[in-house]
Amino acid sequence: MANSDSAFRRWLRGEVDLSAELRTAEMPAPPEGERYEPRHHPALIRMIARQSHRLYVALVAVLCVVLFTVLLLAAANLPAYGDAEAPTNNQVSERYVNQGVEETGALNAVAGMMLDYRAFNTLGESFVLFAALCVVTVLMTRGRRKHPLPSETDYADYYADPIVHTMCKVIIPVILVFGVYVLVNGHLSPGGGFSGGAILSSALIIYAMVWGDERAHGAIRESTVRRTAALALGFYAVSKTCSFYMAANGLTGVASPGVPGRIFSAGLILPLNVAVGLVVCCTMYSFYMFFRRGAL
Amino acid sequence: MSLVQSFPLFSIVLGLLCAVVCFVTPKQWGRRITLALLLASCVMQGWVLRFCYGNQAGYTYQLGHYPAPWGSEITAGLLEPGLGLLCSAVMLLAVIGGGRHIGHDVADGKQHLYWVAVDLTLSALLAMCYTNDIFTAYVFIEICTISACALLAVREGGRSLIASVRYMVFALIGSSLFLIGVVFTYAVTGQLLFPQLREAVAALWAAGTYRFAMTVAIALMTAGLAVKSGCFPFHGWLPDAHSQATTASSCILSGVIVKGYAVLLIKIIYRAIGAEVFMASGAQHVLLLLGIGGMVGCSIDAIFAKRLKVMIAFSSAAQIGYLFMGIGMGTAAGLTAALLQIVNHAITKPMLFLSGSQLADASHGRMDFPSLRGAGHRNVPAGILFTIGAVSMVGVPLLAGFIPKLYFAREAFTLGWQRWPVLLGLAVSTVLNVLYFLYTAVLIWLPQEADCRFKPVTPHWDEFVPGFVLAGLNVAMGIHPGPLVALIEKAVALLGR
Amino acid sequence: MGAMFDHLLHNYEEAAAIALLSIGFCMLLFDRNLLKKVIGLDIMNSGVFLLLADRGYIAGGKAPVMTEAAAEATRYVNPIPAGLVLVGIVVSVSMSALMLALTVRVYQTYRTLDVDHLYMLMSHRRKGGRA
Amino acid sequence: MMTVFRVILLIGLVGCAIATAIVRKPMQAVIIYSAFSVVLAVLWITLEAPDLAVTEAAVGAGVTGTLLYLTLRRLNLIDQDEAHKEKMREEADEHGKF
């Protein structure tokens, strides 16, 4: 006891290096140099890695087989395919189909469901795109360190090819018109914000491919793309929140279903479709530009 | 309907809007906007909590003009605003405390994107807490995953890239499993909202039809969320991700994001599937055993960790084991202990990360233990904070870490065969905690060697004030846990209804 | 067992969806090339979406677009799975863009796409310096 | 009739997926993946989900395919085959161009 007491006192005075004892007791690791430079034994490491990799593969294979079997059995246990009496065809989907037109004004029940009945999901979804845009921006913009890029000559643009060039002059306006049609008719026919936005962005992407990304960068400014996406997202979030807030307080919305079948009908669905389409278009185009030239 | 009841919706949308504003404004605005948002969110969640506590009841808030099975809903009991408050407060303190590191680790051109990611994370976490719709939950899980990846990958240099790849692979597997579970659930019930889902599942289970598909769905959803929150055998990504990020991100990732998934799991178990059906499926035993495995296995890993932040991250994985063990006990008291563990870990772990990285700063940024020797003398506030956190993690009475352990142990005695593994796990894990946390706490107070080349640093107020706030909360919870326990018990009672 | 097999044969779309899902899952876990992992992820997600969209199909149903041309249809298919899959497709494309960006950065930094090699780098090239 | 068509599409889909998994070159995998998306888009039509078909064709086959291709270009992986590269180099030497 007296001994330990004096040891404690010595420790208090700072004469005992407890860490050395503790380290040897708990961490029977090799000394400093080897611990931080294990490449001294590459053969050993490679062998360990190969063994652990084999173990990993075996374990994962077993896991996959088990998962596959269980999922197949569960699929066999599901209601029959195409069955009209399945639990999914309950009063929820019936109301979407049968009363959707008069309640939302949208002929396309999918659009009515996504942008009116369950609009909160779609709000989240456009923000998934926005979040992905942020991460891609973070990853693809060069920070302090310079990353070697492939040389510019690697990117041949197709402008010099007369066939491609001439065809694209015709095709791009057609694609743009088709995209706008799909976008604004989202509540009347299949399509809507997501597909329309993707089609619009494909026109922009073709433009950037053929005329070269520098020219596309000049024509469609970085700040324009970012501001458009931000405005569209902001509009979606604000307008839908207003609508939610009014509904929760028992007020009817300003936007009425209108006459189903007209282009200006279905209340908020048309503007929301346009907003979603702009977000999708800007995001996809930005993805393209980031992957192509490493900047918007 | 009073204005307070709209606050959950407002806080979610405000987070999204602030993210958008930060995206287009210059970077110096991002920090201010985010701080204001986090503060506003704290106030709103606190207000909602007070409202619900006053009423002793929760409420559901209809989103849109259509009632429950057709439109979507958010719901607020006591659990949701409480956790929202916890998330907002911890994120606020983490962002203040790690502010200088953000300036150092994140390139100037990307700083506004960092704030975007913080805002989106807050919004997604709040939505995951409040949502009453299983598919909305999926969408916001993905937002949370992506913005967590941004928080991680935004750091220049280091191995944050590989850590992000690893994190994303695991996270994507997790969300796919969750989505398959949602698909199976929808296929056999035809519902997506929690209350209707619970009725449908109970009816289905009583009738005995599609029971196998439902069990698989429960298992897949649980497994997906367990992968995402770093439950034991799937925790491979967690130490890298949490240790490679910048300090504020480490605090957010470890302190609140993994908890968000766990809370969603709790909500799905109690609100969407129904506790009886979940217990009948037998999934809780698996969770219990995995939790105990994590408590022991990750603690052993932590002992062999060679760098401070890796050790703290492994300890996070071990602490998440406690949480899953509590869920796996399957009783209300077990769940109470698990929620206490969430609170305890959410206030202790950011403190450890903040003080740990300051100690490393006092050692020229080196994280290995030999360099950290005597670091407490070089940065006294950080040393004190780290010591408090480490002692709390070990589970010394009068600190927060003791409370969940006490409740776990007390609950263990009421269980059947689970009693022995739980008690054994608690004992072994505590001993292992002593080995690595007390060792580190002693190490940083050892006298410096004569030829020490590190100079003492003068700590800046914004580095240690958030830490001391967290330490104050920690001590308060340890000394006087009564109100918190009462609140959580009420929240659990409301959750099961 | 036989009954179960018959049921599976009837649910052939689901079986194919699960097959896609498993192929994608195996690619995601086994393939060492990061790019192939990303493609595997997309295939896996497509499998999930196929599984979900099958749940909405009703034999003899028409697409739920109530134009005059489709007015004589006796019944429409369920719109909910279509809407959910639409959300899922967009989430999936965001995820693949993110993963591809990570892939590019990883290749630029480490000059390899082999994931095992990357993890080896991660675990064995520990030197001092900030975490 | 419809069922036969659907089964053929499904077989094509699974075949594409397997082919993507087993081909060696990333470029081949990317091309087969685009084909996979197109088949899937047709399959959505047979499932009476035209919204999905439009979106899948634009997003799955179009944008994802483009992004995958661009990634390959940035990584210089398009002609990864060493023998092929060698042959190209020899040809270039012979003709004095490339």
Side-chain angles (χ1 to χ4, degrees):
Chain A
M1 196 64 208
N3 193 14
S4 77
D5 194 7
S6 69
F8 178 68
R9 287 222 178 108
R10 278 196 296 135
W11 175 71
L12 268 188
R13 286 198 305 272
E15 289 165 11
V16 179
D17 186 359
L18 205 58
S19 76
E21 287 167 35
L22 278 170
R23 227 175 325 173
T24 47
E26 283 166 32
M27 298 190 178
E32 292 296 286
E34 285 182 42
R35 207 188 313 157
Y36 292 99
E37 297 288 344
R39 282 175 296 170
H40 290 309
H41 313 287
L44 182 72
I45 288 167
R46 227 175 293 137
M47 197 195 77
I48 293 173
R50 212 179 300 132
Q51 292 297 326
S52 61
H53 184 254
R54 267 190 210 144
L55 186 70
Y56 166 81
V57 167
L59 277 178
V60 173
V62 171
L63 182 77
C64 282
V65 170
V66 170
L67 191 72
F68 183 60
T69 323
V70 166
L71 285 178
L72 268 185
L73 290 178
N77 191 244
L78 286 180
Y81 168 65
D83 183 9
E85 304 299 316
T88 41
N89 302 317
N90 52 6
Q91 83 272 23
V92 184
S93 63
E94 268 166 26
R95 176 157 168 182
Y96 290 164
V97 170
N98 296 333
Q99 295 168 42
V101 175
E102 61 187 276
E103 282 180 350
T104 67
L107 295 185
N108 182 356
V110 177
M113 176 211 144
M114 287 185 63
L115 293 168
D116 201 355
Y117 287 109
R118 298 172 57 81
F120 197 56
N121 274 353
T122 318
L123 176 66
E125 185 195 357
S126 6
F127 275 90
V128 172
L129 273 174
F130 173 67
L133 175 61
C134 288
V135 184
V136 171
T137 316
V138 164
L139 288 171
M140 300 300 265
T141 33
R142 277 173 284 170
R144 284 178 216 144
R145 283 191 192 175
K146 291 272 180 269
H147 295 287
L149 283 176
S151 57
E152 287 303 311
T153 50
D154 188 42
Y155 296 119
D157 52 35
Y158 302 96
Y159 189 72
D161 191 331
I163 301 177
V164 173
H165 176 197
T166 319
M167 280 309 290
C168 285
K169 267 191 181 163
V170 182
I171 267 182
I172 289 176
V174 175
I175 297 179
L176 279 175
V177 170
F178 179 61
V180 171
Y181 170 82
V182 170
L183 186 61
V184 298
N185 274 294
H187 53 303
L188 304 177
S189 66
F194 295 105
S195 30
I199 294 170
L200 283 179
S201 75
S202 69
L204 298 184
I205 288 173
I206 291 176
Y207 174 72
M209 266 182 190
V210 175
W211 272 263
D213 39 343
E214 288 307 323
R215 182 149 170 200
H217 176 64
I220 305 161
R221 296 229 159 258
E222 179 193 343
S223 56
T224 321
V225 175
R226 283 167 52 158
R227 283 194 193 133
T228 315
L231 266 182
L233 282 168
F235 170 73
Y236 193 139
V238 170
S239 63
K240 218 52 221 181
T241 310
C242 288
S243 152
F244 289 154
Y245 182 68
M246 285 163 82
N249 289 288
L251 306 166
T252 47
V254 245
S256 72
V259 184
R262 296 238 180 113
I263 188 95
F264 288 111
S265 66
L268 269 178
I269 292 181
L270 176 63
L272 290 186
N273 251 334
V274 174
V276 171
L278 287 176
V279 174
V280 173
C281 176
C282 293
T283 315
M284 300 291 170
Y285 176 70
S286 314
F287 285 163
Y288 173 83
M289 287 308 261
F290 276 121
F291 278 87
R292 175 82 192 234
R293 62 192 288 272
L296 197 58
Chain B
M1 181 158 278
S2 74
L3 185 67
V4 187
Q5 284 169 287
S6 303
F7 277 178
L9 172 68
F10 287 170
S11 52
I12 294 169
V13 176
L14 199 63
L16 298 178
L17 281 177
C18 285
V20 171
V21 174
C22 289
F23 186 63
V24 285
T25 47
K27 68 157 192 183
Q28 61 269 28
W29 281 90
R31 182 178 152 85
R32 291 174 209 164
I33 291 173
T34 306
L35 289 179
L37 164 75
L38 290 168
L39 205 61
S41 170
C42 283
V43 173
M44 285 196 209
Q45 312 309 323
W47 212 326
V48 176
L49 186 63
R50 198 169 140 248
F51 176 82
C52 290
Y53 194 77
N55 290 354
Q56 294 290 328
Y59 63 91
T60 54
Y61 186 86
Q62 181 185 321
L63 293 178
H65 295 273
Y66 309 99
W70 296 283
S72 44
E73 276 181 344
I74 52 181
T75 178
L78 284 171
L79 178 67
E80 291 88 353
L83 283 160
L85 179 61
L86 187 70
C87 289
S88 322
V90 169
M91 283 176 78
L92 181 64
L93 293 171
V95 166
I96 295 174
R100 291 157 80 88
H101 282 252
I102 296 171
H104 179 268
D105 286 337
V106 181
D108 274 354
K110 298 180 185 176
Q111 287 205 351
H112 65 289
L113 294 167
Y114 187 83
W115 301 113
V116 172
V118 173
D119 296 351
L120 283 177
T121 309
L122 175 75
S123 188
L125 281 171
L126 290 177
M128 268 156 56
C129 281
Y130 280 111
T131 184
N132 218 9
D133 180 324
I134 204 160
F135 203 78
T136 311
Y138 167 72
V139 173
F140 281 94
I141 284 176
E142 297 292 31
I143 297 185
C144 198
T145 306
I146 297 178
S147 42
C149 180
L151 289 179
L152 178 55
V154 76
R155 183 165 165 214
E156 293 281 305
R159 279 171 297 273
S160 62
L161 266 182
I162 306 182
S164 318
V165 170
R166 225 172 167 176
Y167 167 72
M168 281 311 288
V169 169
F170 274 94
L172 289 170
I173 291 176
S175 39
S176 296
L177 289 180
F178 181 76
L179 183 61
I180 304 169
V182 171
V183 171
F184 274 114
T185 315
Y186 176 71
V188 295
T189 58
Q191 300 286 355
L192 289 169
L193 273 90
F194 288 173
Q196 282 76 24
L197 205 52
R198 190 165 146 193
E199 282 169 23
V201 171
L204 211 64
W205 201 264
T209 43
Y210 306 128
R211 193 175 273 196
F212 183 70
M214 195 59 225
T215 314
V216 172
I218 293 173
L220 285 173
M221 285 196 284
T222 313
L225 288 172
V227 171
K228 297 203 84 135
S229 52
C231 187
F232 165 54
F234 318 113
H235 68 286
W237 58 272
L238 192 143
D240 290 343
H242 289 190
S243 61
Q244 296 297 329
T246 177
T247 307
S249 304
S250 292
C251 299
I252 295 174
L253 284 167
S254 169
V256 290
I257 289 182
V258 288
K259 311 297 188 313
Y261 301 127
V263 169
L264 185 63
L265 179 63
I266 294 175
K267 275 195 72 166
I268 285 178
I269 292 171
Y270 283 86
R271 284 238 161 100
I273 300 170
E276 301 79 19
V277 176
F278 185 78
M279 299 313 157
S281 74
Q284 82 276 26
H285 299 313
V286 181
L287 279 185
L288 182 90
L289 293 178
L290 291 186
I292 295 172
M295 281 156 58
V296 178
C298 298
S299 297
I300 292 173
D301 281 340
I303 289 180
F304 288 105
K306 297 186 182 72
R307 290 153 79 251
L308 184 65
K309 260 180 131 179
V310 178
M311 184 199 87
I312 304 178
F314 268 119
S315 140
S316 281
Q319 299 289 323
I320 285 156
Y322 282 87
L323 169 55
F324 277 99
M325 180 180 82
I327 300 173
M329 283 179 179
T331 57
L335 187 61
T336 309
L339 290 171
L340 279 169
Q341 170 67 12
I342 288 182
V343 177
N344 161 41
H345 190 236
I347 58 180
T348 313
K349 197 46 57 98
M351 187 163 97
L352 281 170
F353 270 120
L354 286 175
S355 53
S357 61
Q358 283 156 32
L359 289 176
D361 283 348
S363 316
H364 287 191
R366 297 179 74 92
M367 289 272 179
D368 52 330
F369 290 110
S371 302
L372 282 172
R373 182 182 164 173
H377 300 294
R378 301 195 284 271
N379 187 343
V380 179
I384 294 172
L385 285 173
F386 189 87
T387 312
I388 296 176
V391 172
S392 166
M393 278 287 158
V394 170
V396 172
L398 297 183
L399 287 172
F402 176 66
I403 308 299
K405 284 191 184 180
L406 177 70
Y407 278 79
F408 279 127
R410 218 168 63 175
E411 179 57 14
F413 284 106
T414 65
L415 298 173
W417 62 267
Q418 295 100 323
R419 181 187 305 174
W420 303 113
V422 169
L423 289 176
L424 192 68
L426 278 172
V428 173
S429 168
T430 306
V431 170
L432 294 173
N433 265 308
V434 169
L435 281 182
Y436 61 87
F437 265 126
L438 277 193
Y439 162 69
T440 318
V442 169
L443 179 73
I444 60 169
W445 290 111
L446 281 179
Q448 302 187 45
E449 285 157 20
D451 57 344
C452 180
R453 55 212 159 92
F454 307 126
K455 298 276 168 298
V457 295
T458 38
H460 202 254
W461 72 268
D462 64 356
E463 291 190 327
F464 64 82
V465 165
F468 274 108
V469 173
L470 288 168
L473 287 175
N474 192 316
V475 175
M477 180 179 163
I479 292 177
H480 192 54
L484 183 69
V485 174
L487 180 71
I488 289 179
E489 274 170 352
K490 275 194 195 106
V492 170
L494 275 182
L495 190 70
R497 262 215 332 255
Chain C
M1 198 62 211
M4 198 157 245
F5 191 73
D6 283 349
H7 217 104
L8 200 59
L9 215 56
H10 192 81
N11 283 0
Y12 59 96
E13 290 251 3
E14 281 79 354
I18 303 253
L20 287 184
L21 208 152
S22 311
I23 294 167
F25 197 70
C26 289
M27 275 178 85
L28 189 58
L29 287 180
F30 287 122
D31 212 305
R32 291 164 66 160
N33 188 333
L34 201 49
L35 200 80
K36 292 280 283 288
K37 270 189 199 283
V38 180
I39 300 179
L41 172 80
D42 281 337
I43 290 178
M44 175 163 147
N45 279 333
S46 305
V48 183
F49 301 149
L50 189 58
L51 185 68
L52 180 52
D54 288 337
R55 296 288 100 212
Y57 182 72
I58 298 172
K62 285 269 165 277
V65 183
M66 283 70 176
T67 48
E68 285 81 9
E72 70 271 18
T74 45
R75 63 175 311 147
Y76 298 103
V77 303
N78 187 346
I80 302 176
L84 302 187
V85 173
L86 206 49
V87 175
I89 288 178
V90 176
V91 170
S92 149
V93 75
S94 320
M95 285 296 181
S96 13
L98 199 171
M99 285 301 285
L100 288 176
L102 268 178
T103 310
V104 170
R105 273 296 299 273
V106 162
Y107 189 80
Q108 283 173 352
T109 316
Y110 299 98
R111 291 283 153 197
T112 177
L113 285 181
D114 187 329
V115 177
D116 293 339
H117 190 195
L118 284 176
Y119 291 170
M120 291 253 303
L121 285 178
M122 178 98 185
S123 40
H124 293 296
R125 212 193 272 167
R126 287 261 154 84
K127 287 197 177 172
R130 294 181 55 87
Chain D
M1 188 55 217
M2 207 57 192
T3 313
V4 176
F5 185 50
R6 222 176 264 148
V7 169
I8 292 172
L9 282 176
L10 286 174
I11 290 172
L13 206 58
V14 176
C16 280
I18 293 173
T20 317
I22 58 177
V23 293
R24 299 288 296 278
K25 288 190 204 163
M27 187 66 196
Q28 293 169 339
V30 169
I31 293 172
I32 299 172
Y33 176 71
S34 297
F36 172 89
S37 286
V38 175
V39 177
L40 195 57
V42 180
L43 196 66
W44 295 135
I45 303 259
T46 69
L47 285 171
E48 294 294 334
D51 297 82
L52 292 184
V54 180
T55 313
E56 179 73 36
V59 172
V63 177
T64 312
T66 315
L67 290 185
L68 282 167
Y69 174 74
L70 282 177
T71 311
L72 286 182
R73 285 204 78 149
R74 287 207 79 154
L75 309 188
N76 294 323
L77 283 180
I78 289 181
D79 290 320
Q80 210 193 15
D81 192 346
E82 276 306 316
H84 181 71
K85 259 188 192 167
E86 197 57 39
K87 216 177 97 195
M88 292 286 283
R89 231 172 275 138
E90 280 167 13
E91 277 178 12
D93 286 343
E94 274 177 26
H95 298 287
K97 50 185 187 184
F98 183 69

